[in-house]
């Protein structure tokens, strides 16, 4: 997919399974199970969609999936399964050392697990030449999570980067490369960020966990995981209508079937019109 001089691809860094009830918050199961049928353990299948961006000579990766460090027990609980991020990068001829910038929308394990990898029994940065860009508040929170979200933050995904000085911490909306703007959109966490790509008069908007799948487009369909659901609601009201009105391409971090779609307003209901991009 090209936006002027900016080119991007969607790389699926595997799948995971999460409790359907937790994924849809106050929405009754009778409603969500029609859109995303659960397995025998009440889990729905989600993708971990990443973006590979080339702009102005820079190679940028948005999200790194769950990575390869989860122990067998956790892999089983979360139903984490291939393909791997590295296979996806290889497909486009990108080696780990070629990546200049890694963007994590937030530091939950399913968004930053591939930040680091195991080498000779040591955990090392997976992208040795990259600057990892995260909101400052997100890193601060990740290092001292609370009782409610502790299970989502694994220090091995970010502590080695802090130690190696590879983090670039930003505060608020920031342009990090030509056509790549990070937009702080709290709700899921206090400092989650979305990614806005622009070029050639076109725009694509990566919702991260503000709208994780197309099933989450209706305003009340908000994850039970969200720390600040009313803030999620405010940010959904701010960003979804803009994406619809301005004809931006919507990108979904966790949708297993529709990672990219244009959104149409049909009698007050937002409907995805899927777009296949490689
Ligand atoms: Zn998350």
């Amino acid at each position: 997919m090209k936006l002027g001089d900016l080119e991007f691809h969607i790389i699926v860094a595997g799948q995971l399974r999460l409790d359907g009830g937790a994924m849809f918050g106050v929405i009754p199961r009778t409603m969500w199970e029609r859109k995303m049928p659960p397995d025998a353990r009440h889990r729905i299948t989600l993708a971990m969609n990443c973006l590979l961006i080339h702009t102005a000579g820079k190679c940028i990766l948005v999200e790194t999936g769950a990575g390869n460090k989860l122990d067998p027990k956790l892999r089983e609980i979360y139903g984490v399964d291939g393909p791997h991020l590295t296979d996806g990068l290889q497909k486009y001829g990108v080696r780990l050392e070629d990546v200049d910038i890694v963007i994590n929308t937030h530091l939950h394990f399913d968004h930053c697990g591939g930040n680091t990898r195991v080498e000779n029994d040591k955990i090392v940065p997976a992208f040795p030449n990259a600057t990892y860009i995260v909101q400052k508040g997100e890193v601060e929170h990740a290092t001292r999570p609370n009782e409610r979200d502790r299970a989502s933050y694994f220090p091995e995904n970010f502590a080695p980067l802090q130690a190696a000085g590879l983090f670039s911490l930003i505060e608020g909306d920031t342009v990090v490369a030509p056509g790549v703007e990070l937009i702080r959109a709290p709700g899921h966490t206090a400092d989650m960020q979305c990614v806005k790509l622009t070029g050639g008069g076109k725009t694509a908007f990566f919702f991260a966990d503000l709208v994780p799948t197309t099933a989450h487009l209706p305003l009340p369909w908000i994850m039970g995981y969200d720390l600040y659901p009313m803030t999620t609601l405010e940010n959904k009201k701010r960003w979804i209508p803009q994406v619809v009105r301005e004809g931006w391409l919507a990108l979904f971090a966790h949708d297993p079937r529709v990672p990219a779609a244009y959104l149409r307003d049909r009698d007050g209901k937002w409907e995805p019109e899927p777009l296949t991009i490689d």
Side-chain angles (χ1 to χ4, degrees):
M1 179 88 194
K2 282 198 170 188
L3 308 172
D5 293 334
L6 183 151
E7 187 183 307
F8 76 92
H9 307 279
I10 293 174
I11 295 180
V12 183
Q15 298 183 334
L16 88 161
R17 289 167 184 239
L18 293 175
D19 183 85
M23 278 303 291
F24 290 106
V26 298
I27 303 304
R29 173 167 171 161
T30 49
M31 292 174 76
W32 61 252
E33 72 181 356
R34 275 182 264 155
K35 291 194 190 182
M36 299 188 101
D39 66 11
R41 291 159 67 180
H42 313 290
R43 303 174 303 180
I44 57 170
T45 299
L46 299 163
M48 293 177 281
N49 299 323
C50 310
L51 304 178
L52 173 66
I53 304 164
H54 290 286
T55 179
K58 295 260 183 250
C59 178
I60 302 174
L61 183 62
V62 178
E63 314 287 48
T64 61
N68 301 332
K69 306 186 303 302
L70 284 180
D71 66 48
K73 190 179 159 204
L74 284 176
R75 286 185 73 85
E76 209 276 321
I77 288 173
Y78 290 114
V80 172
D81 212 347
H84 294 301
L85 174 62
T86 43
D87 299 336
L89 291 172
Q90 239 165 42
K91 183 179 155 196
Y92 297 106
V94 173
R95 299 166 303 165
L96 298 178
E97 54 267 38
D98 296 333
V99 176
D100 299 299
I101 295 173
V102 175
I103 294 163
N104 296 133
T105 61
H106 60 301
L107 294 174
H108 287 166
F109 75 89
D110 54 323
H111 293 256
C112 71
N115 279 4
T116 57
R117 64 189 178 91
V118 179
E119 187 183 79
N120 304 325
D121 291 336
K122 261 189 71 185
I123 295 175
V124 299
F127 304 96
N129 299 320
T131 301
Y132 292 68
I133 303 181
V134 187
Q135 291 286 323
K136 182 167 180 252
E138 178 68 20
V139 175
E140 285 170 357
H141 181 77
T143 53
R144 38 180 177 75
N146 58 52
E147 291 81 356
R148 191 166 178 273
D149 64 6
R150 185 167 292 156
S152 299
Y153 288 107
F154 301 151
E156 62 265 32
N157 296 332
F158 45 85
L161 306 174
Q162 288 176 303
L166 295 183
F167 267 132
S168 169
L169 304 183
I170 57 172
E171 290 178 84
D173 301 354
T174 307
V175 174
V176 295
V180 183
E181 185 178 6
L182 305 183
I183 293 173
R184 184 174 165 271
H188 182 61
T189 69
D191 290 281
M192 198 198 74
Q193 54 190 355
C194 298
V195 184
K196 185 178 163 195
L197 304 178
T198 47
K202 291 183 280 187
T203 299
F205 193 79
F206 185 74
F207 277 108
D209 279 355
L210 177 61
V211 186
T213 75
T214 50
H216 292 84
L217 282 167
L219 291 173
W221 294 57
I222 289 172
M223 287 193 275
Y225 296 110
D226 286 17
L227 294 184
Y228 310 98
M230 294 309 292
T231 312
T232 300
L233 180 61
E234 272 170 41
N235 273 313
K236 285 179 80 171
K237 284 180 176 171
R238 173 171 175 197
W239 290 104
I240 299 174
Q242 186 164 4
V243 170
V244 174
R245 202 172 49 237
E246 301 192 17
W248 295 355
L249 179 64
L251 304 171
F252 299 96
H254 288 303
D255 199 305
R257 285 183 302 273
V258 185
Y262 289 106
L263 306 181
R264 308 291 180 212
D265 188 330
R266 297 211 205 291
D267 306 319
K269 257 181 77 182
W270 294 314
E271 284 179 6
E273 197 173 280
L275 181 78
T276 306
I277 61 177
D278 64 0

